């Protein structure tokens, strides 16, 4: 159950979830897709509707069955206390690892393209510090800062319009020259990213109007699909067959912009939106990790855990990731399976068990009491 | 209360430490602003890099008053170093420079003729991998030594690099950015053209180096090697086909006349490449819709007469066709280089067939039958009607 009277608005939730998917997505996804479908990868950004809808349906129906509970709490109801705690522990460890990977991704981009001499640890830890502050402030602080930062995060996308004179629309052809299979392959990474929407399970208990929340959730999914498609198409029209060879195609796009001969070197803007978006993303992940831990082990106040777990996660950001190539492989080959495992497969299994055994949440207080 | 003060004070201190930019703080007077990079072939397969950097305003002197420097206003200097590859050469170059090379303002990369002949792929790897060189910078191949084009002191612009950039920006001629080059290196046609630059002979009253480099013609590249150069005149045909005519002036004779000409400026074009395959014959139709405004009419014909105007249209059409065919002939038979990206047009229309056939493109390309389908119109006649300064009775109506 909700531990105190904190509430967030449905619109705030959508402001939190948009960068949760897009903050790293817009930078990393185009190149990953282009690797498999050099001219068709933009289609994969439309197909993400499917995993997106699935994770929204899963999270909201789990929450409907067990009102006021996150997946950590409801799993203890569904499969028994100890098995449920085991699931909670798995979620905690996985989210801790994923938070680490995200902060590494964040720091690698900053270091490789902007702050060449700044230690990696410093870049990721400074963002961790801020994210931990936000989480320590509570979910409503996180939600309110998301409203401000996500707005600022979206705005630089408009600058992509400056690229229009440099775009070559012809790169959209040949369409589906290798059939539909490469598009499905290109879909692998984006679907994992979008399934992260399931993290809403940690925030749904704070929302009063669940029906309105649903509307906003589908709206944010729509917005994610539209912005992914725009980013993909923009990059494709600018870079064509060269997209897959770039580590960060959108960085090239921002560097390529030139308006009137003086409005150039806009990549600083990209860095700004990268920091803002990843602050929200990291905050959401850190909150989810902290909540998993506190609800799994019955810690009554999650706030005091924010800093220790942030430190732990920052260690995970270095652990087993010796270089960027490994990080890329982790995302490309492992992430595509493990993210949907936690965001779609396990919740689906839990929901099925709950449905078969007919277990439902009651309003007599959470297991943590 | 006390603790709150402490928190505020410590966070302020923290912010102040952060605001200096930490490890990556750079002072402007620790930087050498690179304006151009030239790559020449060194001995023993090495590469010779030359950078042009801007001298700070205070040090450049004002026009060398009182002899000595003469009339040239030198705002740039160059340094060069030789290395195994670009990175190595630049590292050596950095040792000879008291300031750190800064690439953010570098908008010009020049390959010498020789380097281009040896292949540019390795250099492009450096330029696109290194986070500082900008993808929008322009790439050129120079006629002689690339380094020479950097040791010029233009009368109008501050640096010779800036002069080249402004010329490219003007939309008059052919231009290629680093990113476009990077795409062309991996596209289907395996051939492309790079603007070819020459040093403009300096005018009589100027100092020997007081001139600029200018674009004329193009270097024809196959895979990543230069196989020849195309003259400016022939290159114009390529610009028609690739829809890049820009603000150029077209001059042509009426009815095959080689004495009296008509000039149009600006000309506008809409070009469409329509590939088709009939049996074993590959046909490419260049559909062009071109328009131009008259700026000079040397002939005695009165263009306000519809029948004469339509004849002029026909001559215009013929002129465009001749340019296109001239260039096509060279590309197909002299160089066998698909600089028009016909390959991409086929790839778009026949993706599956293309996958099978693309290895034969080298044999196929010279045999592609190119048809031209041009409609040309002279849309405006300028401020006068009949030929200017000509008596009424001499005008042919």
């Amino acid at each position: 159950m909700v531990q105190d009277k904190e509430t967030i608005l449905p619109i705030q939730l959508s402001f939190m979830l948009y960068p949760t998917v897009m903050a790293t997505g817009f930078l990393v996804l185009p190149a990953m897709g282009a690797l498999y479908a050099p001219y068709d990868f933009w289609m994969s950004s439309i197909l993400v509707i499917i995993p997106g809808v699935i994770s929204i349906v899963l999270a909201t129906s789990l929450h409907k069955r067990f009102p006021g509970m996150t997946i950590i709490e409801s799993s203890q109801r569904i499969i028994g206390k100890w098995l449920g705690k085991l699931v909670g522990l798995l979620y905690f460890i996985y989210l801790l690892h994923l938070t680490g990977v995200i902060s590494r991704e964040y720091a690698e981009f900053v270091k490789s393209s902007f702050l060449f001499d700044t230690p990696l640890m410093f870049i990721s830890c400074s963002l961790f510090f801020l994210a931990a502050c936000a989480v320590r402030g509570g979910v409503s602080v996180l939600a309110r800062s998301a409203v401000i930062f996500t707005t600022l995060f979206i705005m630089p996308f408009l600058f992509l319009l400056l690229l229009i004179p440099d775009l070559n629309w012809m790169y959209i052809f040949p369409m589906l020259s290798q059939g539909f299979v490469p598009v499905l392959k290109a879909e692998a990474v984006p679907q994992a990213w979008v399934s992260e929407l399931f993290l809403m399970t940690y925030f749904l208990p704070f929302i009063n109007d669940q029906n309105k929340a649903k509307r906003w959730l589908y709206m944010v999914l729509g917005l994610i699909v539209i912005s992914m498609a725009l980013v993909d198409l923009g990059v494709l029209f600018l870079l064509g067959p060269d997209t897959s060879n770039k580590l960060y195609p959108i960085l090239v796009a921002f560097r390529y912009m030139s308006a009137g001969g003086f409005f150039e070197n806009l990549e600083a803007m990209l860095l700004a939106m990268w920091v803002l978006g990843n602050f929200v993303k990291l905050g959401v992940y850190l909150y989810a990790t902290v909540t998993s831990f506190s609800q799994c082990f019955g810690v009554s106040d999650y706030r005091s855990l924010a800093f220790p777990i942030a430190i732990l996660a920052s260690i995970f950001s270095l652990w087993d990731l010796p270089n960027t190539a490994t990080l890329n492989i982790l995302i490309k080959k492992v992430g595509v399976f493990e993210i949907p495992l936690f965001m779609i497969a396990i919740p689906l299994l839990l929901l099925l068990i709950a449905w078969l055994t007919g277990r439902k949440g009651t309003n007599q207080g959470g297991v943590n009491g | 209360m006390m603790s709150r003060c402490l928190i505020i004070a410590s966070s302020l201190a923290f912010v102040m430490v952060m605001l200096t930019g930490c490890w990556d703080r750079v002072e402007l007077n620790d930087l050498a602003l690179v304006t151009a990079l030239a790559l020449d072939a060194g001995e023993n397969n090495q590469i010779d890099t030359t950078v042009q950097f801007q001298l700070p305003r205070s040090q450049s002197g004002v026009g060398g008053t009182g002899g000595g420097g003469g009339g040239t206003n030198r705002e740039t200097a160059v340094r060069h170093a030789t290395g195994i590859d670009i990175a190595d050469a630049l590292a050596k170059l950095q040792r000879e420079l008291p300031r750190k090379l800064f690439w953010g303002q570098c908008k010009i990369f020049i390959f010498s003729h020789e380097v281009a002949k040896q292949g540019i792929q390795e250099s492009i790897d450096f330029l696109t991998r290194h986070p500082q060189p900008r993808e929008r910078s322009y790439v050129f191949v120079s006629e002689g030594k690339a380094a020479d084009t950097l040791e010029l002191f233009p009368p109008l612009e501050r640096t010779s690099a800036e002069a080249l950039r402004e010329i490219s920006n003007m939309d008059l001629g052919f231009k290629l950015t680093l990113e476009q080059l990077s795409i062309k290196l991996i596209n289907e046609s395996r051939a492309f053209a790079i603007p070819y630059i020459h040093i403009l002979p300096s005018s009589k009253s100027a100092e020997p180096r007081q001139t600029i480099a200018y674009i004329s013609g193009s270097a024809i590249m196959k895979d990543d090697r230069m196989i020849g150069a195309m003259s400016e005149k022939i290159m114009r045909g390529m610009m028609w086909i690739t829809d890049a005519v820009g603000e150029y002036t077209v001059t042509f004779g009426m009815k095959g006349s080689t004495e009296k000409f008509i000039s149009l400026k600006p000309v506008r074009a809409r070009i469409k490449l329509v590939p088709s395959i009939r049996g074993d014959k590959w046909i490419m139709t260049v559909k062009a819709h071109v328009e131009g405004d008259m700026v000079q009419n040397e002939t005695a014909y009165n263009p306000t007469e519809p029948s004469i105007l339509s004849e002029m249209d026909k001559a215009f059409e013929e002129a465009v066709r001749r340019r296109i065919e001239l260039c096509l002939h060279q590309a197909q038979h002299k160089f066998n280089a698909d600089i028009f990206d016909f390959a991409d047009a086929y790839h778009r229309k026949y993706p599956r067939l293309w996958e099978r056939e693309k290895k034969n493109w080298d044999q196929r390309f010279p045999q592609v039958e190119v048809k031209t389908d041009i409609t040309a119109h002279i849309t405006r006649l300028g401020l006068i009607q009949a030929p200017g300064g000509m008596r009424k009775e001499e005008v042919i109506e």
Side-chain angles (χ1 to χ4, degrees), chain B residues 40-111:
Chain B
D40 282 295
E43 284 165 13
N44 303 330
N45 213 8
Q46 290 197 318
I47 194 146
D48 191 7
T49 58
T50 308
V51 295
Q52 182 190 60
F53 48 90
Q54 213 152 13
L55 297 174
R57 270 280 163 81
S58 57
Q59 290 169 26
S60 60
V62 188
T65 41
T72 353
N73 189 1
R74 301 198 164 188
E75 298 205 16
T76 57
V78 298
R79 280 286 156 86
H80 85 105
T82 309
I84 308 163
D85 60 9
I86 303 185
D88 179 49
L90 289 177
K92 286 179 179 154
L93 199 150
Q94 182 69 73
R95 286 197 317 222
E96 299 163 5
L97 211 62
R99 294 185 175 201
K100 205 168 174 215
L101 292 172
F102 177 75
W103 295 93
Q105 301 291 325
C106 178
K107 303 279 167 69
I108 303 291
F109 297 112
I110 303 168
F111 293 95

Side-chain angles (χ1 to χ4, degrees), chain A residues 74-85:
Chain A
S74 53
S75 72
Q76 295 176 22
R77 288 293 183 82
I78 296 168
I79 50 175
K81 191 169 177 191
W82 293 106
L83 268 180
K85 280 206 188 295

Side-chain angles (χ1 to χ4, degrees), chain A residues 39 112-119 122 129 166 170-171 173-174 176-179 238-239 241-242 246 252 255-258 264-265 267, chain B residues 14 18 21-24 100 104-105 107 128 130-136 165 177 179-180 182-183 186-188 344 347-348 351-352 355:
Chain A
Y39 295 94
S112 69
S113 315
F114 297 92
L115 305 178
F116 309 103
D117 295 328
T118 309
F122 184 83
F129 176 73
D166 296 304
M170 291 307 264
Y171 283 133
F173 299 110
L176 292 175
S177 63
Q178 308 283 322
L238 182 70
L239 301 175
D242 210 18
K246 305 283 180 197
V252 180
R255 286 158 62 106
Y256 208 78
M257 279 173 203
S258 165
E264 287 179 346
N265 303 12
E267 67 264 28
Chain B
F14 182 73
M18 295 298 110
C22 322
W23 285 264
D24 283 280
K100 205 168 174 215
Q105 301 291 325
K107 303 279 167 69
T128 49
H130 194 295
Q132 280 197 346
R134 309 198 66 81
E135 283 83 357
R136 211 192 179 84
R165 195 174 74 88
T177 65
E179 183 50 47
Q180 285 168 336
S182 166
I183 295 171
I186 57 168
N187 74 358
E188 301 290 339
D344 283 310
H347 176 221
R348 277 181 206 121
R352 274 152 212 267
E355 285 306 316

